[in-house]
Amino acid sequence: MSGTPEATRLRITRAARLENLPALLDAAERACERAGTSATDRDAVRLAVEEVSVNIITYGYVDGTPGPITLTFAWDPTQMTIEIEDRARAFSPDTIGAPDLESDWERREPGGLGWHLVRQMVDLVRYRPNRGRGNHVTLVKQIR
């Protein structure tokens, strides 16, 4: 993304605290507005960013002081790429299987629904650990 023109890129870093979630979501809204996405695509990007960010805030830094969350949005006429980075303990969403959506809710195992939603909202979810400490999640959403 280093060669991406500034007009097609937006970046925000905030401490991983729930009170900073509105700023992260506002950044997603601004990026979608600048990219000219449809309302449906904007809602999908916003929900995916919210789910990943809340997971980082709630579970990633649970064992220490909240560190940063950095969101980088880049787009062209056909797709938006969202890079989400943190310095939290390592966690790969690839380890989360699909939730049981068929059983009665009383019998379902908790967890996994957020990542299921993320995968439904975007076209690609890619994970890699950051060098040293942290996580790097890439979300790609095709713009219709």
Side-chain angles (χ1 to χ4, degrees), residues 52-86:
V52 175
S53 298
V54 168
N55 276 333
I56 294 167
I57 292 166
T58 305
Y59 304 113
Y61 290 106
V62 73
D63 58 353
T65 303
I69 297 177
T70 299
L71 306 178
T72 305
F73 301 86
W75 59 90
D76 63 32
T78 63
Q79 72 179 19
M80 177 173 285
T81 302
I82 304 108
E83 307 283 342
I84 304 172
E85 297 179 81
D86 64 51

Side-chain angles (χ1 to χ4, degrees), residues 12-139:
I12 182 173
T13 300
R14 294 290 184 271
R17 293 190 168 94
L18 283 176
E19 63 263 21
N20 290 327
L21 186 60
L24 299 172
L25 298 178
D26 285 347
E29 295 270 346
R30 282 195 319 274
C32 287
E33 183 178 302
R34 291 180 187 174
T37 67
S38 68
T40 301
D41 287 346
R42 182 195 65 229
D43 292 345
V45 167
R46 189 178 190 284
L47 179 58
V49 166
E50 182 175 5
E51 286 294 331
V52 175
S53 298
V54 168
N55 276 333
I56 294 167
I57 292 166
T58 305
Y59 304 113
Y61 290 106
V62 73
D63 58 353
T65 303
I69 297 177
T70 299
L71 306 178
T72 305
F73 301 86
W75 59 90
D76 63 32
T78 63
Q79 72 179 19
M80 177 173 285
T81 302
I82 304 108
E83 307 283 342
I84 304 172
E85 297 179 81
D86 64 51
R87 291 191 199 130
R89 62 189 171 103
F91 171 78
S92 173
D94 298 335
T95 63
I96 302 294
D100 175 9
L101 301 176
E102 300 300 319
S103 298
D104 292 334
W105 68 269
E106 298 94 356
R107 294 185 181 149
R108 292 183 194 171
E109 290 292 322
L113 190 56
W115 281 106
H116 175 73
L117 286 173
V118 170
R119 289 183 183 104
Q120 298 302 307
M121 295 296 108
V122 299
D123 299 291
L124 175 70
V125 176
R126 189 171 45 231
Y127 168 82
R128 69 177 166 78
N130 269 344
R131 290 181 215 124
R133 179 170 172 90
N135 304 282
H136 187 123
V137 174
T138 302
L139 309 176

